[in-house]
Every structure is written in structure tokens, then in C-alpha cells.
Amino acid sequence: MKDIIEAIKYLHKQLEKHPDVKAIYRKSSDRELNNNYSFFDSEFENSYEQTVDVFSHNIEMLARIEIEKDEENKNTVDVIEAAQMTLDNDIKSWLLINYFMFNTNNEKMLFLETAAMLVIFCVNCQITRKISTLLDDDLEFKSKTDEDSIFRGHTNSNYKLIPSIYRNLSIEDGFGIVNISKLYSLYSKSNLSEKYKRVFGDSKIDYNFCAFAQHSKAYSPFLDFTEDYKVALSFATGTTGSVNEYIKKDASLYSLSFRSSIEVRNSIDLNAIDIFINEKKISPMSIIRGKRLFLCKYEDFAVEAFILKDKTNDRMKYQKGCFLYFQRAVIINGNLLLPINFGRIKKYVIPASGKTLNKMTVYEKIRENYQYYLMDYLMNPYRYFEEAPL
């Protein structure tokens, strides 16, 4: 019994300090627990078996995840190894038999917190790699990569992978669903739909409208990607913002492999959009799509996503651009949650300084060998041709 309790406590400790867990998790308030922990007199007992089941289920998924034991992923490795310790003890059978071991409210809360933080880790943990593991000094792939890949660059590696319309979005009561009605409301309040109708004679919220909104106002449910990683590297390492931030902040390159996993479409029906948003951090008692957090499996956060390749303007064509569209997802405290076994999006950090490959050396390689991918040309697809015959 002591080994199991210690394993749970150790897992709790590792989860509690993980930055991807801390980004969206908070402890339950007394009000959520109905004051004086009256919650534990009924709901804990009634949901105990289900809690054990989802806890074990999430542990078993983590046991199948393999990551390199490098320094940048140390916190993640610590959590996965702590989870493995509980699995080694056949925790599900043991917990079902030994319900009585949680004989105080604090011990019960410890278990619920661990279960809640565990599922958060399963759906918000992002494994990072160094750009040098992907590219050599000449910006060529070190090994064969999946041809069905798209890329995105961020000048600051701390920037979150989230469509522009959801950034800092306020929802009534602080949580709720973004559906097609909400999209119409957002575009009406911003006056974008009225302007679009005035110019193009149509205000239907469809693929063409959202593509135009993304490129004119950066306000859509789409994420810009490119089919050419050198374009993404240019966006990641170009000096478009604060010089001081550029010098200090690492950049990042995202790679998404979608072979036989994410459907490629030329258009979509936005009537099916279903994005659950909670503006603030969540606790074990928070409700996610009808379930308390500590009763959620990682599958409850499953995403539906599509690659959209219809290039609606010349800039998209020049950038070899496409969109990543999340039709169904969960966003908590500004974080779009992707189950760790989603396994398709990889993040590569481009250091601000030092190393052979850093922001400035990558940018210099782009300027020397791929001048037509410099920012001025990417944003104005005609400029490179206007300079002919030079």
C-alpha cells in the first residue's frame, strides 16, 4: 500500500511543477467543493470507480509515448517515468480493492488532483526538439522526411499555436462553445462581414470569407501553414518586430505530418465548427463538455482537423500557403489542447544565439540562397518579378 501511495504522491509532484500543466491548471476553490468538503460525502464515493478507470486509462496511454531524454524535455520525461511507476504496480486493480486508503478529504483531493493534472498533461504537453535535429547547417533535412508535411514559423518560440480568432476571445460566462452562430456574431461585431458584403456582395461565413479575413485582418479560425519549410524558416527568423525581442527570444518551426491522418480538402462547411473554450485556468471540478475534469479521458479532448489547400490569392500561391483548420477542439486559458498521442505536430526550437544554427545564421542562409523568400517578397508576391531583369 505504501508503494502505491508514494507513487501517486510522486506523480502528483511531477505534474504540479510541469509548465504545460501549470499553464491551464488551478486548485479547486472551497465554493467548488460546496464548502467544508461536503463534495467528498457523496460525489467522490459515487464516481470513485470511474475515476480509477480514467486515471488508469490515461496512464496506459502515456506508457506508450517514447521521447528522447534530453534537457529541454526533462520535466516531461520526469512525468512519464513517474506515471510508469504507478503502472508497474498494477494500480487499477489495487485502487479498486483499496478504496479505504483515502480516509481523509486531503488524501481524496490528492488523488482527484493527480487524475485531473494527468489528463491535462496528456492533452497539453508539447515535446520540443532542437532545429539541429531536423536540419543541417545548409538548411537541408538531415534525414528523409514525410513528403506530406506542412510548416509554420514563429519568431518567438513562446507564441502559442492557436488560430487568430480565438486569441484573447471573450466568451459569455467565461466558457462556452464557438459554433457557426458565434462566428457570425464575431464577424458582425468586428464589421468585417458588412465590409465584405459591401465589396464582394456576399457575407456568408464560408471558406473564401475566412481566408480573406485571415489574410486581411488575421482574424479567422484558420492557422497559416506552408508546404515549403524554407518559407516557414523565413517567417520564423525575419526581423519584423522588436529588435530587442529578436535578439533575446528563441524562434520555432512547426512541422505537421498528415499522411493518412488529417484529411486534405479544398473547402469546408463551417456549420460543423465546435470549439469549446474556457477563458481561465480549470480545476478538477471544472466541467469540460459535460464531464468533470478528473473524470475525463484524453479522448474527450480529441480534435477534428483538416488541411485546406485551395489558394485563394496570389500571396498564398507565392508562399505555397495552406491552412490548418480545427473543426472540433478544446481551448483552455488560451491554449489549444492536442492529445500527446496526436503525434503529428512537432516543434523545433531555433535558438536566438549560439550554436551553428540560430535565428541570425538561418536568416543569412535564406538571404544568400533563397532571396525570393525574404519577408518583403513573401508579403508582396509581385515585387520579385517587378525587379526583372535583375
Side-chain angles (χ1 to χ4, degrees):
M1 181 186 297
K2 184 177 180 181
D3 289 344
I4 290 289
I5 295 174
E6 291 305 313
I8 293 174
K9 287 182 177 179
Y10 183 69
L11 176 58
H12 183 280
K13 178 181 177 181
Q14 299 306 318
L15 287 165
E16 197 171 35
K17 68 180 184 180
H18 196 283
D20 293 333
V21 174
K22 291 196 294 184
I24 65 175
Y25 178 79
R26 65 173 175 81
K27 290 182 176 294
S28 298
S29 65
D30 287 342
R31 185 172 64 83
E32 287 178 302
L33 296 172
N34 300 320
N35 296 321
N36 300 317
Y37 291 158
S38 61
F39 161 84
F40 295 111
D41 296 333
S42 56
E43 191 167 345
F44 178 82
E45 182 175 353
N46 294 334
S47 62
Y48 180 73
E49 289 189 13
Q50 187 180 354
T51 306
V52 171
D53 180 62
V54 300
F55 179 79
S56 304
H57 180 78
N58 293 332
I59 289 281
E60 289 166 1
M61 186 275 283
L62 284 183
R64 298 191 294 270
I65 301 298
E66 295 182 3
I67 63 172
E68 297 178 4
K69 295 185 178 181
D70 46 31
E71 185 61 30
E72 62 227 48
N73 291 311
K74 183 181 183 305
N75 288 331
T76 298
V77 172
D78 288 345
V79 170
I80 291 177
E81 290 182 346
Q84 184 66 47
M85 287 173 57
T86 64
L87 193 65
D88 291 343
N89 286 284
D90 190 18
I91 192 168
K92 182 174 182 178
S93 299
W94 193 93
L95 285 173
L96 289 174
I97 295 171
N98 294 280
Y99 166 82
F100 63 86
M101 80 167 189
F102 299 112
N103 51 27
T104 69
N105 288 337
N106 286 337
E107 290 173 346
K108 294 173 183 177
M109 195 68 242
L110 178 75
F111 179 50
L112 295 188
E113 287 179 347
T114 307
M117 288 191 290
L118 180 67
V119 72
I120 287 176
F121 177 84
C122 288
V123 299
N124 198 45
C125 171
Q126 188 167 67
I127 298 170
T128 61
R129 300 162 178 81
K130 298 175 182 176
I131 193 66
S132 57
T133 65
L134 179 69
L135 304 175
D136 62 24
D137 293 348
D138 292 321
L139 306 187
E140 298 295 333
F141 290 118
K142 285 187 170 182
S143 58
K144 186 177 181 180
T145 59
D146 192 339
E147 293 181 0
D148 294 327
S149 293
I150 56 176
F151 306 89
R152 177 179 172 87
H154 283 179
T155 57
N156 186 331
S157 65
N158 291 324
Y159 290 165
K160 296 173 182 177
L161 197 66
I162 183 171
S164 53
I165 202 167
Y166 305 128
R167 295 172 194 161
N168 303 311
L169 177 62
S170 293
I171 300 289
E172 188 176 352
D173 297 325
F175 64 93
I177 298 290
V178 172
N179 52 23
I180 189 63
S181 296
K182 182 65 175 178
L183 283 186
Y184 270 102
S185 174
L186 292 172
Y187 283 125
S188 175
K189 288 179 181 177
S190 63
N191 205 32
L192 285 173
S193 56
E194 179 59 32
K195 284 189 172 184
Y196 191 86
K197 183 177 181 180
R198 195 178 303 147
V199 174
F200 298 107
D202 186 14
S203 60
K204 181 181 179 182
I205 307 302
D206 58 9
Y207 174 73
N208 288 327
F209 176 93
C210 289
F212 191 87
Q214 177 63 17
H215 287 140
S216 62
K217 194 65 177 176
Y219 193 65
S220 86
F222 299 160
L223 269 173
D224 285 303
F225 272 75
T226 173
E227 296 172 72
D228 191 327
Y229 70 97
K230 296 183 289 295
V231 172
L233 286 174
S234 182
F235 276 110
T237 61
T239 55
T240 57
S242 163
V243 175
N244 288 335
E245 182 173 284
Y246 181 89
I247 293 172
K248 293 187 296 184
K249 300 293 185 181
D250 295 341
S252 60
L253 175 75
Y254 285 93
S255 169
L256 169 60
S257 174
F258 57 90
R259 175 176 293 180
S260 70
S261 57
I262 301 180
E263 185 179 345
V264 178
R265 294 184 175 182
N266 286 328
S267 189
I268 36 86
D269 180 5
L270 283 157
N271 287 304
I273 193 168
D274 178 14
I275 308 295
F276 177 85
I277 293 180
N278 192 314
E279 293 179 43
K280 298 181 180 179
K281 293 183 178 183
I282 53 177
S283 79
M285 303 299 122
S286 296
I287 304 297
I288 307 296
R289 294 194 185 276
K291 287 186 180 180
R292 291 209 186 271
L293 180 62
F294 68 86
L295 293 175
C296 288
K297 296 181 178 180
Y298 67 89
E299 291 97 336
D300 293 318
F301 296 83
V303 301
E304 293 177 9
F306 302 103
I307 307 293
L308 307 175
K309 286 196 171 185
D310 184 24
K311 295 170 175 49
T312 59
N313 57 62
D314 290 340
R315 197 168 77 185
M316 266 189 95
K317 293 175 184 176
Y318 192 95
Q319 296 175 7
K320 300 186 174 112
C322 56
F323 295 122
L324 175 60
Y325 166 62
F326 292 97
Q327 181 167 274
R328 179 182 172 88
V330 175
I331 297 173
I332 306 295
N333 195 35
N335 296 266
L336 191 151
L337 308 186
L338 296 172
I340 193 172
N341 67 335
F342 187 69
R344 303 173 182 118
I345 295 181
K346 298 178 181 178
K347 179 181 179 180
Y348 297 91
V349 175
I350 307 170
S353 60
K355 308 295 182 181
T356 304
L357 284 181
N358 58 53
K359 286 170 80 170
M360 294 188 71
T361 59
V362 169
Y363 182 73
E364 284 301 315
K365 287 290 182 181
I366 296 290
R367 185 161 63 179
E368 290 173 11
N369 302 321
Y370 310 100
Q371 181 187 9
Y372 46 91
Y373 282 158
L374 292 178
M375 195 62 61
D376 286 347
Y377 298 120
L378 290 173
M379 300 309 289
N380 180 355
Y382 311 111
R383 180 172 176 178
Y384 184 70
F385 298 93
E386 289 170 351
E387 295 176 353
L390 298 178

